[in-house]
Amino acid sequence: MAALTGIGAAEPSGGAENNLAEAVRQLGNRLDQLAATAEPPLFKRHLISVNAIAHSEAARAMLYAGSDPKAAEEALGFVTQLIEAYGGDAAQWNTYLEGRRGLVLARLSGRDGTLQFSIVRLPTAWDPQRAYPLLMNLHGAGPASPLHYVAVISLGVIPGFLAQAGYYVMPYGRGNSSYRDIGEIDVLESYDDMHRTFKIDPDRRYLYGFSMGGSGTWRIARRTPDRWAAVAPCGAGGPGVHPPAILARNVTYLPIWIYIGEADPGFAGAKTLRDTIAQYGPAPVFTSAPGLGHVWPAQTHADCVAWLLKHTRKRPDKFAFVADTDDHLGVWGITMKRDIAVSPLPEFECAITGNRVRIDSKGTAGMEVKLGADGLGLSGAVVVTWNGAKAYEGPAATIELGEGTKRRR
């Protein structure tokens, strides 16, 4: 352990850059040593992830040292914290199993091949063979460095209530991306990674966040409402929460809790969000805190998680969807064709009575409909009516509506 001490205590020639290079070397050696015998494989992945992120961010800091001389000093501080952590009980699997620390799970982005990651905390008394709820928490704006998040989590700074009932996951989301574009993709890739890595209860998945994370929650939830049992966009009242009002049609069946401090600059915007959603369906739960500004009290965070976990996902008998992007074209197994020359906001409404499905659409030339377990969840003989005319009768297969409506399988 002697090699793990003394980093940053003195400045050799070359300053922070040389110190950073030496610190990363020592951290890498320690993490390689731990990973060589780490069990289970999940712990090994965590150790390799921390190592990869530390090396990647240290290399970035040194590359840009000429234009940003403080970057190496900041990275050195984070790497020093990691050396201290992995010289102590961060090197012990039981601290993660007991929920005292979070796992860092890195992955290569399918969009651009870059190294991205999520912070994951295991449920209490974790049994890998059991399916647990998934709590996806989108973080607010903060330090841009990925090493900040990795170092903080390695020190064990996670509220204790978060993962008692399920997997808690915080995607990095490209830092301060506001979960737009590539940031949204990161969240959904993290979602997919969680499903590949763990057994997730498909009917108990939850999305929430505060501030930038609250705005991101609303942005993603309105495009993927069928994935979640409930969502909570909290502390979100800025311009990012106000898309075309018609998109609120997408969430009429989704339980939503909005929290905001009454002295928060976004208070009026949060009320507008509530009222916009209420135009198309039940008003979301709206909780305001008198006298509080843009803050997220620990008890309110705990109350939010408890409220989310009360809900179970269920396919509604009536729902609608409006698409504003080519990446999200439908829900519950119904996927529209989108041509912005026809309409930038194609939409459909679906009503299900027994095994009879009625779909009415605008602005789209057709759609794929999964009638079976991988979509609407029907079985046996199904009758589909599209825009007032009978379009299909047969088994609960995947069908295509449009020119030459056909059954695919």
Side-chain angles (χ1 to χ4, degrees), residues 338-371:
R338 183 172 183 257
D339 182 348
I340 60 173
V342 177
S343 173
L345 296 171
E347 61 183 271
F348 72 82
E349 184 174 286
C350 178
I352 302 169
T353 305
N355 271 27
R356 303 186 73 87
V357 179
R358 189 190 79 236
I359 301 173
D360 296 300
S361 64
K362 296 179 183 178
T364 179
M367 61 192 70
E368 177 187 84
V369 182
K370 295 180 178 180
L371 298 169

Side-chain angles (χ1 to χ4, degrees), residues 288-300:
S288 62
L292 284 187
H294 195 62
V295 294
W296 185 225
Q299 184 57 54
T300 306

Side-chain angles (χ1 to χ4, degrees), residues 325-343:
T325 170
D326 288 338
D327 293 328
H328 304 287
L329 296 173
V331 287
W332 299 106
I334 301 178
T335 305
M336 294 183 288
K337 298 176 182 178
R338 183 172 183 257
D339 182 348
I340 60 173
V342 177
S343 173

Side-chain angles (χ1 to χ4, degrees), residues 88-406:
D89 65 4
Q92 305 298 321
W93 165 241
N94 68 294
T95 67
Y96 304 87
L97 190 61
E98 294 167 3
R100 288 185 277 140
R101 296 182 184 275
L103 294 161
V104 177
L105 300 184
R107 66 186 187 282
L108 294 179
S109 170
R111 176 56 65 94
D112 61 8
T114 58
L115 185 68
Q116 302 301 325
F117 67 97
S118 298
I119 304 298
V120 178
R121 185 167 174 174
L122 300 174
T124 301
W126 179 55
D127 176 359
Q129 300 306 312
R130 175 184 164 192
Y132 289 92
L134 174 67
L135 287 155
M136 294 200 76
N137 178 15
L138 306 188
H139 63 77
S145 171
L147 276 176
H148 164 80
Y149 296 90
V150 174
V152 166
I153 294 304
S154 293
L155 293 172
V157 185
I158 305 178
F161 60 82
L162 285 178
Q164 295 178 359
Y167 294 106
Y168 164 85
V169 55
M170 187 188 76
Y172 174 58
R174 309 290 169 120
N176 297 327
S177 68
S178 295
Y179 304 102
R180 291 185 173 94
D181 305 318
I182 194 69
E184 176 185 297
I185 290 168
D186 285 345
V187 171
L188 297 179
E189 286 188 347
S190 174
Y191 172 97
D192 291 339
D193 185 45
M194 288 297 296
H195 284 76
R196 286 191 299 267
T197 306
F198 303 104
K199 290 187 176 182
I200 305 295
D201 184 338
D203 296 324
R204 300 196 69 202
R205 299 182 297 221
Y206 311 94
L207 181 67
Y208 76 105
F210 177 75
S211 189
M212 182 183 77
S215 297
T217 294
W218 172 236
R219 183 174 292 108
I220 293 171
R222 72 196 185 215
R223 292 172 172 166
T224 60
D226 57 333
R227 299 191 184 201
W228 316 106
V231 301
C234 298
V241 303
H242 300 301
I246 195 173
L247 294 182
R249 290 184 68 196
N250 296 353
V251 300
T252 55
Y253 54 88
L254 182 63
I256 301 172
W257 184 48
I258 298 172
Y259 163 83
I260 193 81
E262 293 184 6
D264 191 311
F267 182 61
K271 289 196 297 181
T272 299
L273 175 60
R274 174 200 62 190
D275 296 342
T276 299
I277 295 171
Q279 291 180 35
Y280 297 97
V285 176
F286 187 85
T287 300
S288 62
L292 284 187
H294 195 62
V295 294
W296 185 225
Q299 184 57 54
T300 306
H301 192 167
D303 292 343
C304 174
V305 170
W307 181 87
L308 289 167
L309 288 168
K310 292 178 182 178
H311 297 86
T312 302
R313 173 179 170 269
K314 182 180 183 297
R315 191 264 295 155
D317 291 332
K318 186 174 182 179
F319 56 93
F321 190 82
V322 182
D324 69 331
T325 170
D326 288 338
D327 293 328
H328 304 287
L329 296 173
V331 287
W332 299 106
I334 301 178
T335 305
M336 294 183 288
K337 298 176 182 178
R338 183 172 183 257
D339 182 348
I340 60 173
V342 177
S343 173
L345 296 171
E347 61 183 271
F348 72 82
E349 184 174 286
C350 178
I352 302 169
T353 305
N355 271 27
R356 303 186 73 87
V357 179
R358 189 190 79 236
I359 301 173
D360 296 300
S361 64
K362 296 179 183 178
T364 179
M367 61 192 70
E368 177 187 84
V369 182
K370 295 180 178 180
L371 298 169
D374 57 346
L376 295 179
L378 302 176
S379 60
V382 180
V383 176
V384 178
T385 300
W386 180 40
N387 290 339
K390 184 176 178 181
Y392 175 80
E393 183 173 5
T398 296
I399 63 174
E400 292 183 5
L401 301 179
E403 293 185 10
T405 297
K406 60 183 179 181

